[in-house]
Amino acid sequence: LIGVLIAKLIEEKFRKKALIIWLFNPLTIYLIYGLSNFDILPTAFSLLALVFFKKEGYFYSGLSLGVALSLKLYPLLFLPFFITALLRAKMFRQTVNFLLGCTLIPAVFLLPLLNDFLNNADSGLLTTILSSKINLSQSLSIPIFFIFYGVILVISIITKRSWEFLAFYILSIVLLVLSISHFHPQWFLWLLPFFVIFASQRLRLLIFCLPILGSFIFSVLAFEDRFLSLGIFSPIIANIYEAGRLEQTIFTKI
């Protein structure tokens, strides 16, 4: 489905390249079919929001982003870029429609769970972006993430509105999150479809694939979670963890 959505976002002459890059690269295969992680769902709905935005279906764009936000918190980082794109074009009615769509699903499904959410809001992504800071003194620090996030947002305000620029800013924000954190490898899925959009149109970007792939493999090996490496074979090899304690050896060496 993500392959179909990517194809709808780019010109026909680039679609074959995009589908090849998306469907047959090792990261896609590992993240989706190896880990079978949940992040594929909010990633798909974030991409769907971009498709509807391109087609000027702003209510449905907001609705799609709202579904993504109901599944995972990180799409909230994309919301200001959609809104500023509409406001800059003085599309006030469309902005209201977008916000109505965006808040509908979270209001229905998340409000009953608000207390549980607040009790667990100090983990994962939120902790990552808040803990990245430069300490100037015991009581004063500079939040690295919000400084760069603000710079990217200002740049988005002073540039022209288009779906491709939105895709660029989404990619930039995810790269910002990954660059300042010891991220869980499944977070890498957040940026892959948006990288494919640009790589299929500018093949020279593929030169970044090897160092990205190498750093990703290192992060998988360095992250002490058995289900990222040997654990993916446990459904077919039940005693995989007893095979010479290879996994623990890898972690110890790193």
Side-chain angles (χ1 to χ4, degrees):
L1 177 59
I2 285 183
V4 173
L5 295 176
I6 291 174
K8 288 184 176 294
L9 284 169
I10 59 179
E11 297 179 41
E12 186 174 356
K13 62 182 179 180
F14 298 121
R15 289 176 183 172
K16 183 177 179 180
K17 297 176 183 176
L19 289 174
I20 290 174
I21 297 172
W22 169 250
L23 293 172
F24 300 105
N25 77 75
L27 294 184
T28 301
I29 295 171
Y30 170 77
L31 286 168
I32 300 176
Y33 305 106
L35 295 185
S36 300
N37 70 73
F38 176 75
D39 292 60
I40 190 64
L41 297 178
T43 299
F45 280 104
S46 297
L47 200 62
L48 183 61
L50 200 60
V51 171
F52 280 123
F53 196 91
K54 178 189 177 185
K55 296 180 178 295
E56 300 182 352
Y58 300 112
F59 174 80
Y60 296 106
S61 177
L63 190 66
S64 300
L65 193 64
V67 173
L69 179 57
S70 299
L71 297 169
K72 202 87 172 184
L73 188 60
Y74 80 89
L76 185 62
L77 298 174
F78 310 151
L79 178 60
F81 294 90
F82 285 88
I83 295 175
T84 54
L86 292 171
L87 291 178
R88 187 178 182 278
K90 299 181 179 179
M91 302 172 68
F92 303 113
R93 182 173 61 83
Q94 291 86 343
T95 303
V96 173
N97 289 337
F98 179 87
L99 288 174
L100 284 175
C102 191
T103 56
L104 181 61
I105 299 299
V108 172
F109 291 102
L110 293 188
L111 283 181
L113 304 173
L114 185 59
N115 287 334
D116 290 334
F117 171 77
L118 293 177
N119 290 334
N120 292 280
D122 59 344
S123 61
L125 176 64
L126 187 60
T127 300
T128 296
I129 62 178
L130 290 178
S131 62
S132 301
K133 55 190 177 183
I134 300 175
N135 294 318
L136 300 180
S137 66
Q138 291 183 347
S139 59
L140 182 62
S141 60
I142 300 176
I144 299 175
F145 175 82
F146 293 107
I147 290 177
F148 284 99
Y149 185 89
V151 169
I152 297 172
L153 185 59
V154 169
I155 293 174
S156 74
I157 294 174
I158 63 178
T159 54
K160 66 179 181 179
R161 177 183 66 89
S162 75
W163 74 265
E164 185 173 340
F165 275 82
L166 276 173
F168 174 77
Y169 296 130
I170 290 174
L171 178 60
S172 300
I173 292 303
V174 178
L175 284 171
L176 175 60
V177 171
L178 300 186
S179 67
I180 64 172
S181 65
H182 179 54
F183 61 89
H184 193 283
Q186 69 183 29
W187 293 11
F188 210 86
L189 190 58
W190 302 352
L191 66 81
L192 266 184
F194 302 99
F195 177 78
V196 171
I197 288 173
F198 293 101
S200 62
Q201 301 175 68
R202 304 165 182 83
L203 290 179
R204 64 181 180 274
L205 290 178
L206 291 178
I207 64 175
F208 293 104
C209 285
L210 288 179
I212 288 175
L213 179 61
S215 62
F216 179 82
I217 292 174
F218 179 83
S219 70
V220 169
L221 296 178
F223 209 104
E224 293 203 40
D225 183 345
R226 62 174 55 185
F227 295 105
L228 295 179
S229 51
L230 294 180
I232 64 175
F233 299 106
S234 59
I236 56 175
I237 308 176
N239 62 342
I240 187 68
Y241 303 124
E242 305 303 322
R245 298 194 176 276
L246 175 62
E247 186 177 82
Q248 185 61 43
T249 301
I250 294 174
F251 290 146
T252 303
K253 292 295 185 183
I254 292 177

